[in-house]
């Protein structure tokens, strides 16, 4: 007897297969008389938002909805995964609505990184990607840094209208929203879910004093994120948890660095110089001779060179080479989803490798 079960909280179709997708409820919940999805359950009992991943199609519907509504769009990106957490196409949908860009996880940056330089780079990159945010803020949703400033800015830019918070999975959107909930709603259990017009999707609605609301939209899965090529345990390894400790490698030409098995940097030509790696403190970096690198990767992907652990290494798309000659006195080679490597002095010839679909790019150093 196959019958469709609906969540009494938000009306979404219940499924028990995938915890990360909309409508999930644990199998035990099905025995109850009234069924409620895990997301609504947490909202109801803990006043807490959980992240739920959306398919592309659903996300397009939401973008459409936002384009037709009037309000401020708050877009959250992960500063360690700027390109991987970018939502391509958002600018085509938002219409006249303003977009406020928020870079999260600023607590991970070493003190030497200049916030203004990072903001400047985010501004330039946004422009190149077709988006002109009204303002850019750096925050740590988990530590609370910068949250008051960003909330004041939201209040200012929304001009009495609604606010839509968007972002792809893993950027820290739930953490961000949960902080706002704490600030905006004192005690009362006033948060509700409501439908997106024209869809069966629900969004979380945090009422504001003037009758407008902040809406949390479910996160989208961005298939180009490094995070989707590794399993949960490996994701823990590549995601920095604490302030990053830069690791310095003095390289001679024709030397290679492997970042687990997920990325690779060949120093092809130029004198001895430092390469400073800004990545998760737990990520294993392996140095070898360039001439041995291909062979080493073939033999040792999944063991010496991990993450990805061996059971996952087949799912990893092949590494793609990006060739660069560095022109600035200090250049960051950015591996989306991992971090970056700062190369000192101009003129170095390098080849940077990342899995197909994952962005590698250069920027002027943030130091
Ligand atoms: P969502 O998928 O966008 O809703 O993201 P979550 O809020 O679930 O957070 C994703 C991961 O990033 C979790 O492991 C969080 O602990 C972590 N995270 C969220 N905000 C921050 C932050 O400000 N700093 C750091 N270091 N980690 C964060």
């Amino acid at each position: 007897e196959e019958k469709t079960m609906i969540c009494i909280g938000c009306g979404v179709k219940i499924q028990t297969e995938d915890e990360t997708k909309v409508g999930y409820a644990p199998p035990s919940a099905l025995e109850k008389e009234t069924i409620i999805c895990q997301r609504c359950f947490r909202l109801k009992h803990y006043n807490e938002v959980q992240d739920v991943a959306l398919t592309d199609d659903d996300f397009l519907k939401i973008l459409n909805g936002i384009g037709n509504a009037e309000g401020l769009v708050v877009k959250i990106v992960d500063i360690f995964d700027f390109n991987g957490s970018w939502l391509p196409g958002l600018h085509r949908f938002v219409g006249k609505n303003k977009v406020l860009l928020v870079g999260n996880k600023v607590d991970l940056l070493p003190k030497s990184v200049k916030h203004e330089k990072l903001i400047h780079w985010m501004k330039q990159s946004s422009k190149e990607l077709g988006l002109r945010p009204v303002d850019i803020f750096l925050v740590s949703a988990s530590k609370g840094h910068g949250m008051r400033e960003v909330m004041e800015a939201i209040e200012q830019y929304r001009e009495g209208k609604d606010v839509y918070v968007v972002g792809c999975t893993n950027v820290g959107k739930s953490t961000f929203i949960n902080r706002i909930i704490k600030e905006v709603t004192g005690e009362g259990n006033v948060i509700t879910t409501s439908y997106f017009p024209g869809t069966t999707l629900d969004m979380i609605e945090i009422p504001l004093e003037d009758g407008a609301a902040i809406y949390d939209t479910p996160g989208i899965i961005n298939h180009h994120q490094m995070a989707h090529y590794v399993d949960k345990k490996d994701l823990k390894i590549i995601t920095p948890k604490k302030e990053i400790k830069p690791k310095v490698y003095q390289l001679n030409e024709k030397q290679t660095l492997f970042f687990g098995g997920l990325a690779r940097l060949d120093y092809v030509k130029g004198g001895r110089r430092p390469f400073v790696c800004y990545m998760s403190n737990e990520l294993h970096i392996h140095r070898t001779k360039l001439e041995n690198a291909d062979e080493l990767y073939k033999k040792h992907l999944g063991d010496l060179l991990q993450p990805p652990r061996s059971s996952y290494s087949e799912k990893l798309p092949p590494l793609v080479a990006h060739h660069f000659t560095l022109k600035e006195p200090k250049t960051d080679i950015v591996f989306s989803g991992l971090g970056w490597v700062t190369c000192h002095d101009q003129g170095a010839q390098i080849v940077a490798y990342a899995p197909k679909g994952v962005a590698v790019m250069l920027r002027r150093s943030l130091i």
Side-chain angles (χ1 to χ4, degrees), residues 51 104-108 139-143 168-176 240-241:
D51 59 330
N104 188 33
K105 309 195 184 178
V106 76
D107 55 294
L108 300 173
V139 303
S140 167
S142 61
K143 295 265 157 67
C168 78
T169 51
N170 277 318
V171 297
K173 191 162 65 62
S174 307
T175 313
F176 182 84
K241 279 170 282 297

Side-chain angles (χ1 to χ4, degrees), residues 105-248:
K105 309 195 184 178
V106 76
D107 55 294
L108 300 173
L109 293 175
K111 303 272 181 297
S112 50
V113 171
K114 306 268 189 315
H115 289 191
E116 321 82 71
K117 288 194 181 180
L118 180 56
I119 287 175
H120 179 75
W121 176 71
M122 287 169 71
K123 190 173 174 181
Q124 266 192 327
S125 305
S126 301
K127 202 169 135 193
E128 279 162 25
L129 291 162
L131 188 77
R132 286 168 194 274
V134 283
D135 217 337
I136 300 180
F137 286 84
L138 296 179
V139 303
S140 167
S142 61
K143 295 265 157 67
H145 304 159
M147 287 299 295
R148 198 164 35 89
E149 289 82 350
V150 85
M151 284 179 64
E152 279 168 18
I154 288 174
E155 197 47 40
Q156 180 201 329
Y157 288 118
R158 76 182 179 90
E159 296 169 328
K161 294 182 198 129
D162 293 331
V163 179
Y164 295 90
V165 182
V166 299
C168 78
T169 51
N170 277 318
V171 297
K173 191 162 65 62
S174 307
T175 313
F176 182 84
I177 286 282
N178 285 324
R179 273 217 178 254
I180 291 189
I181 290 176
K182 269 200 203 128
E183 294 285 327
V184 173
T185 68
E187 287 293 293
N189 213 346
V190 286
I191 303 150
T192 53
T193 55
S194 61
Y195 288 115
F196 237 108
T199 72
T200 57
L201 296 167
D202 63 318
M203 50 191 176
I204 282 159
E205 182 178 339
I206 307 164
L208 297 167
E209 275 166 6
D210 56 7
I214 298 178
Y215 294 102
D216 175 32
T217 63
I220 189 182
I221 293 182
N222 192 335
H223 300 282
H224 294 310
Q225 257 181 314
M226 190 74 94
H228 295 300
Y229 298 136
V230 298
D231 74 337
K232 272 192 179 161
K233 281 187 195 153
D234 283 341
L235 185 59
K236 280 201 177 139
I237 294 174
I238 66 169
T239 306
K241 279 170 282 297
K242 283 195 294 223
E243 182 181 316
I244 285 177
K245 292 197 198 82
K247 290 195 189 108
V248 186

Side-chain angles (χ1 to χ4, degrees), residues 18-145:
D18 189 344
E19 216 176 321
T20 66
K21 297 253 165 70
V22 175
Y24 176 80
S28 63
L30 304 189
E31 286 151 26
K32 308 247 169 66
E33 229 161 84
T34 53
I35 301 168
I36 183 167
C37 75
Q38 184 150 293
R39 189 159 173 250
C40 287
F41 182 87
R42 298 199 66 87
L43 187 66
K44 188 161 166 233
H45 295 283
Y46 306 110
N47 237 356
E48 187 184 283
V49 174
Q50 215 189 7
D51 59 330
V52 182
L54 275 185
T55 62
D56 299 355
D57 189 42
D58 290 335
F59 187 69
L60 283 179
K61 286 184 192 159
I62 283 200
L63 286 184
N64 255 322
I66 293 175
N68 294 331
E70 225 187 300
L72 173 69
V73 179
V74 175
K75 169 169 170 161
I76 305 185
V77 293
D78 178 344
I79 53 171
F80 283 85
D81 194 13
F82 185 83
N83 281 62
S85 64
W86 193 256
L87 302 173
L90 178 69
H91 60 284
R92 284 197 296 273
F93 285 93
V94 289
K96 290 198 197 71
N97 295 327
K98 288 178 182 159
V99 179
L100 186 76
L101 186 62
V102 177
N104 188 33
K105 309 195 184 178
V106 76
D107 55 294
L108 300 173
L109 293 175
K111 303 272 181 297
S112 50
V113 171
K114 306 268 189 315
H115 289 191
E116 321 82 71
K117 288 194 181 180
L118 180 56
I119 287 175
H120 179 75
W121 176 71
M122 287 169 71
K123 190 173 174 181
Q124 266 192 327
S125 305
S126 301
K127 202 169 135 193
E128 279 162 25
L129 291 162
L131 188 77
R132 286 168 194 274
V134 283
D135 217 337
I136 300 180
F137 286 84
L138 296 179
V139 303
S140 167
S142 61
K143 295 265 157 67
H145 304 159

